[in-house]
Each structure stands twice: as structure tokens, then as C-alpha cells.
Amino acid sequence: MDSSTARIVVRSSMLDLIRACGFSGLAGVRIDKEELRRRLLMPQYLRLAMLDSIRKKDVDGGDQHFRLRGSDSVSSSESPMVVFINSRSGGRHGPVLKERLKQLISEEQVFDLHDVKPLEFVRYGLACLEKWANNGDLCARETRQNIRVVVAGGDGTIGWVLGCLGELHQKGREPVPPVAIIPLGTGNDLSRSFGWGGSFPFAWKSAIKRTLQRATKGRICRLDSWHVVLQMPGGVAVNPPHSLKVTEECQLDQTLEIEGDVPDKVKCYEGVFFNYFSIGMDAKVAYGFHHLRNEKPYLAQGPITNKIIYSSYSCTQGWFLTPCISDPSLSVRAVVALNLHNYGSGRNPWGNPKPEYLEKRGFVEAHADDGLLEIFGLKQGWHASFVMVELISAKHIAQAASIRLEIRGGEWKDAYMQMDGEPWKQPMSKDYSTFLEIKRVPFESLMISGE
């Protein structure tokens, strides 16, 4: 393993709370606004060239700024940085936070995800820097080499950005910028896992400067990501999350046995997750909550309100009813494949098994970059509740480097699934199988530690 690799450790909720309130080690250190801006601000011609390339969706779209620069020597910034913000996250703070970030860095280096997509930044903004670096522009070369990314949003937003940055790995366009986090979501499990806290800080104006400061100096950690292929019968109507995209080719593992029938025409999607995939009751609750929030957006006033509504909604969905089978202790109503220690707003359902238990079960100690998923089950709602308050561990099923699910309909016409907090309803055919395969992506994402 690379010496720069940092292991993820389980963090206490109290420590998260202290950091979230802004009382970290840097809390007593005054950060000079102008000095911070000097370190983060790219030369004007570079940031304008990047922005024009993105807006025009053309790598050559910013060339005029390089020509107008002339031959004057320009120094690159010490820690060039761009920020992606989901301004609709964080309740009422989102738009205000966006303006604050623009003041601290520059308007051209802060991208609202509703206006600039991360894939556009990768394909046009970074490509613009790469083009002029290859043409001999030293400032462009150093900026491209040292650039870091901050994502202000929830787990889904962070996964979206990381997935797009993964294209740099695939095409050999290294180095890949590492990512820091400003947590604006409800669960914020990725943020918790890398030391950025579990909620939006109360004293957020001063905390933003500390976050940007930490993002310039934080050590680099590694994170596994997982490729998902979903194959279903053709003609089935499904509304998948944005992290799943239609693909023409289904690359299912042909060495595995198929129990059901496969139709002549199939529809395929593929995507990537970083924290977890789940199927079952927990995904159904998440699906209903997301629809409720979309239908009544006035309810989405921030993480605390979201959690209260989410908990109330889950009680109406039947999870707390004992399954009607002969032996409920043998069944699970949700199966989760987990990559990180954090799930469901900082809980650790896998727990911390003792070495003798790991050896007995054939398990190994879990890490975010070990190439394995921890697969566990949740039974009825009472069992899940005890797991979530960490009185007990979830039902351990397996550790796996790859997974295949084959499902068919019957009494149930739909299955509920979710990836990194993005749920969807998956129709099931009685006649033909639907397949879902999960395999590790052959490269790791780079994260900046907030500790």
C-alpha cells in the first residue's frame, strides 16, 4: 500500500458533534481571509479560460485568454481549488454559502451543480489546462498538477463528483484531483468517514474558512468505489437515480450460472457507488421519503428536520411489523453492501468484531480501501432500531469482492433499491430475471482528510 494511504477509523458521534460546531483544533487560530484567498485563487486568465471552455463545451473555448495574456510572467497559486456546491442542499443556507465561497475564492472557481456539471469540468475545464500545459504554459501545468476539489453537498452529490473524476483514471489523465467535503446532506456518511463532520456547522461563516484551510493541507486517503451493472427485461419502465446511466452493452459475468430465463431484448444501466448499496425495506422507506420531500419541498429545511420527517415516515411503512413467516429470526427485510464504517448518519452497523470472531467467520478487519464489501442484513424495524443506536450489530452475512443478485417478481411486483442515498423502485417480471452485479472499480478515489 502507498505510504500516503490513510486508514479510515470509526469516529465517535461526540467528536463529530464537536467538529460540526466548529471547535476543532483550528478553532482558536485566526485565518486571514486575504492570505487564504491568495493561496486558493488561480490567475485570472486561467480561471476565465476554464470557465469559457466549460460554458462553450469546447476545449478550445478559452484560447483567447491565453493569447491576451502576453509574455508576462504569472505565478501559479500555492493551492488552486475549485468548489462544487449543491445550492439546494443545506436548507436555507445553500445559496448564502455559495456567495460566501465566491467571496473567499472567486466567482469563476465556485460551480453551482445546477449550472455546471462535474463531467463538463472534467472534459472541458481540466482539459483546457492540460492542453495549454502541453503547449508550454508553466502556470497551467502547475495549476493542473496541484488543483484540489471541494464538494459542498450530501453523499449523493459527492459520489456524483467522484464518479466524474473517475474518468480521468480511465483515460490516463493523471493526477486526479483529491476531494474535500462541506457536509450539506442529511446523512453525510462520506463526510463523517473522512473527518469533515456529520452536519453543517453552527458557526458556519468562520467554519468555511477553516474548511478551506484544511482542504489545502489535509493528507490524501484512498477510497474504493464499486461498479454496478443492472440488466432488466426490455420494455420495463424504470426511473433510476442519476448515478445510473443507460448503457448499450451489458457486461455481466458469463461464468456465473443463471437460474431464470432471459428475454431476447434487455435494458441495461451502469453506475458507481462509494458508500453502500441496499435492497429491501430501508430503500423503500428512503424512496417514499424522497418522493414526499419532492412533493412538499417546504418540508426540506435542513438535516435535523429531514431526520425527524424520515424517522416519522419510516414508522408508517410497516417495517415495525413482524414478518409473517414461521421463523422471523431467519429472515431479513433489508440487505446492505457497505464500503465504509458509516451508514445511516454515522452508525456502524457492521460493528467492531473481535479478532477471534473474524477468524471464526473467515472475515478480515474492514477498511474503506481493502477491496471488500461488508454485507449485512436488517430484520424488522425493532432490530434495525437497535442496530442504529449501536446496541447490537447487524446480521453479518459475508464479505465479498463482487456480488450478483438475480430477482424475479411474484407476490411483489417491485423491489426497492438505493445507492449512496439515491433510491429507486425496480419493477420485477414474473417471467424473466433482473440481474444486478457489483464489482470493484480497478482504481481508487482520492479523498482529503479533514482531520
Side-chain angles (χ1 to χ4, degrees), residues 279-354:
I279 178 171
M281 201 65 193
D282 71 321
K284 182 179 180 181
V285 171
Y287 178 82
F289 169 74
H290 277 250
H291 273 260
L292 177 66
R293 189 171 58 177
N294 290 337
E295 291 171 0
K296 300 178 180 180
Y298 57 85
L299 295 175
Q301 294 297 319
I304 296 177
T305 304
N306 285 345
K307 289 175 183 177
I308 293 172
I309 297 171
Y310 193 100
S311 299
S312 301
Y313 183 82
S314 66
C315 292
T316 70
Q317 298 304 297
W319 203 356
F320 285 84
L321 301 177
T322 301
C324 298
I325 64 170
S326 59
D327 187 355
S329 67
L330 297 179
S331 74
V332 294
R333 302 193 70 188
V335 176
V336 182
L338 184 64
N339 188 39
L340 301 176
H341 286 297
N342 285 294
Y343 166 85
S345 300
R347 277 58 176 188
N348 180 22
W350 185 258
N352 298 291
K354 295 181 179 180

Side-chain angles (χ1 to χ4, degrees), residues 25-316:
L26 288 172
V29 180
R30 184 180 181 277
I31 299 174
D32 184 83
K33 176 181 175 181
E34 293 304 317
E35 173 64 18
L36 178 63
R37 189 171 190 268
R38 184 191 64 78
R39 296 177 61 194
L40 304 178
L41 185 65
M42 299 180 195
Q44 184 181 37
Y45 81 100
L46 284 185
R47 59 181 194 266
L48 290 175
M50 283 182 59
L51 190 60
D52 279 354
S53 294
I54 292 170
R55 286 174 174 171
K56 297 175 183 178
K57 294 182 173 56
D58 182 358
V59 175
D60 303 324
D63 285 1
Q64 69 275 16
H65 298 288
F66 287 87
R67 290 193 292 267
L68 292 173
R69 181 177 72 90
S71 58
D72 295 337
S73 176
V74 178
S75 300
S76 61
S77 52
E78 180 181 340
S79 302
M81 187 172 293
V82 298
V83 179
F84 287 100
I85 179 168
N86 183 350
S87 60
R88 296 179 189 176
S89 296
R92 63 185 182 276
H93 293 302
V96 182
L97 174 61
K98 181 175 73 172
E99 295 306 313
R100 174 67 170 167
L101 287 165
K102 288 181 177 180
Q103 293 170 8
L104 289 172
I105 310 176
S106 77
E107 184 172 351
E108 298 87 3
Q109 289 172 235
V110 178
F111 302 126
D112 191 319
L113 285 162
H114 298 284
D115 301 321
V116 175
K117 304 299 184 283
L119 200 57
E120 296 170 348
F121 167 73
V122 169
R123 292 181 175 175
Y124 306 111
L126 288 182
C128 169
L129 291 181
E130 291 165 0
K131 169 189 171 180
W132 284 96
N134 292 333
N135 286 344
D137 189 294
L138 181 59
C139 192
R141 180 182 298 118
E142 292 178 348
T143 299
R144 175 63 184 90
Q145 185 76 19
N146 298 323
I147 194 167
R148 292 187 170 200
V149 173
V150 175
V151 181
D155 288 342
T157 300
I158 298 162
W160 183 17
V161 174
L162 289 174
C164 293
L165 291 174
E167 183 172 295
L168 298 171
H169 277 294
Q170 296 167 6
K171 298 191 174 180
R173 294 170 54 192
E174 296 181 332
V176 177
V179 173
I181 300 170
I182 298 174
L184 298 184
T186 302
N188 299 313
D189 289 309
L190 276 165
S191 177
R192 297 171 194 270
S193 296
F194 291 96
W196 296 103
S199 64
F200 198 62
F202 301 134
W204 66 271
K205 288 187 178 180
S206 58
I208 292 305
K209 289 195 295 184
R210 290 195 295 274
T211 295
L212 295 177
Q213 173 89 337
R214 285 152 61 193
T216 65
K217 296 183 176 181
R219 71 184 187 277
I220 306 302
C221 308
R222 297 182 181 274
L223 170 66
D224 284 337
S225 55
W226 299 86
H227 182 245
V228 174
V229 175
L230 177 64
Q231 177 183 295
M232 68 193 76
V236 172
V238 64
N239 184 24
H242 76 257
S243 54
L244 282 178
K245 305 297 183 185
V246 175
T247 180
E248 296 298 326
E249 297 183 6
C250 280
Q251 300 177 346
L252 293 179
D253 191 334
Q254 301 300 316
T255 65
L256 297 178
E257 181 180 348
I258 295 176
E259 295 186 3
D261 296 324
V262 179
D264 294 332
K265 292 185 178 180
V266 297
K267 182 189 295 185
C268 294
Y269 293 84
E270 65 177 354
V272 174
F273 72 87
F274 296 85
N275 190 359
Y276 68 91
F277 167 87
S278 72
I279 178 171
M281 201 65 193
D282 71 321
K284 182 179 180 181
V285 171
Y287 178 82
F289 169 74
H290 277 250
H291 273 260
L292 177 66
R293 189 171 58 177
N294 290 337
E295 291 171 0
K296 300 178 180 180
Y298 57 85
L299 295 175
Q301 294 297 319
I304 296 177
T305 304
N306 285 345
K307 289 175 183 177
I308 293 172
I309 297 171
Y310 193 100
S311 299
S312 301
Y313 183 82
S314 66
C315 292
T316 70

Side-chain angles (χ1 to χ4, degrees), residues 3 5 156 327 371:
S3 60
T5 299
D327 187 355

